[in-house]
């Protein structure tokens, strides 16, 4: 989980809802999320926060707060070319993924 001091200055937001593949545990998700934070997202200066949420019926949400929506989208594209993030993405039931990007307006 990343929370940088200037989180209140965010203008971009990535929100991805998903379920885990059969056989994948929440512990595995949490471990790889920490690895993504430590080895990838902590190096992205314009990512201000990253965390997971748990909802009903086995649903999770991966949330990233960025300086702009454009930056959130750029960093999201980098996930496709990183070894650590690839391991994280392999845990997800790809058919359940619903990702969207938002801009703060107030």
């Amino acid at each position: 989980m990343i929370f940088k001091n200037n989180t209140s200055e965010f203008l971009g937001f990535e929100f991805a809802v998903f379920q885990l593949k059969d056989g994948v545990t929440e512990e595995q998700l949490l471990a790889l999320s920490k690895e993504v934070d430590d080895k990838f997202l902590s190096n992205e200066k314009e990512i201000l926060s990253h965390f997971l949420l748990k909802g009903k019926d086995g649903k999770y949400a991966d949330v990233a707060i960025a300086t702009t929506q454009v930056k959130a989208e750029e960093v999201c594209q980098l996930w496709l070319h990183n070894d650590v993030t690839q391991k994280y993405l392999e845990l997800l039931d790809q058919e359940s993924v619903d990702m969207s990007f938002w801009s703060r307006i107030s």
Side-chain angles (χ1 to χ4, degrees):
M1 186 174 353
I2 297 172
F3 287 105
K4 296 181 181 170
N5 291 339
N6 53 353
T7 301
S8 65
E9 299 174 12
F10 85 93
L11 295 174
F13 193 83
E14 174 265 330
F15 193 82
V17 177
F18 60 90
Q19 291 182 296
L20 298 174
K21 284 182 180 175
D22 287 338
V24 174
T25 67
E26 185 173 296
E27 291 74 22
Q28 289 172 296
L29 175 68
L30 292 171
L32 273 172
S33 180
K34 181 175 179 355
E35 193 171 343
V36 166
D37 288 346
D38 294 345
K39 295 181 180 176
F40 176 67
L41 290 176
S42 62
N43 298 319
E44 295 294 328
K45 292 182 170 109
E46 294 187 60
I47 296 297
L48 305 175
S49 184
H50 176 249
F51 52 91
L52 289 170
L53 302 172
K54 183 177 181 178
K56 295 180 182 179
D57 301 323
K59 291 187 180 177
Y60 294 88
D62 185 290
V63 180
I65 297 174
T67 53
T68 66
Q69 179 181 347
V70 169
K71 190 58 178 179
E73 291 180 33
E74 286 175 4
V75 172
C76 184
Q77 286 300 310
L78 295 175
W79 279 62
L80 302 175
H81 309 288
N82 180 282
D83 291 338
V84 174
T85 56
Q86 285 297 304
K87 288 186 224 173
Y88 179 94
L89 294 174
E90 288 173 9
L91 301 179
L92 312 184
D93 173 0
Q94 295 302 312
E95 304 234 348
S96 72
V97 176
D98 182 15
M99 178 180 289
S100 57
F101 296 93
W102 302 75
S103 290
R104 189 177 81 183
I105 59 172
S106 70

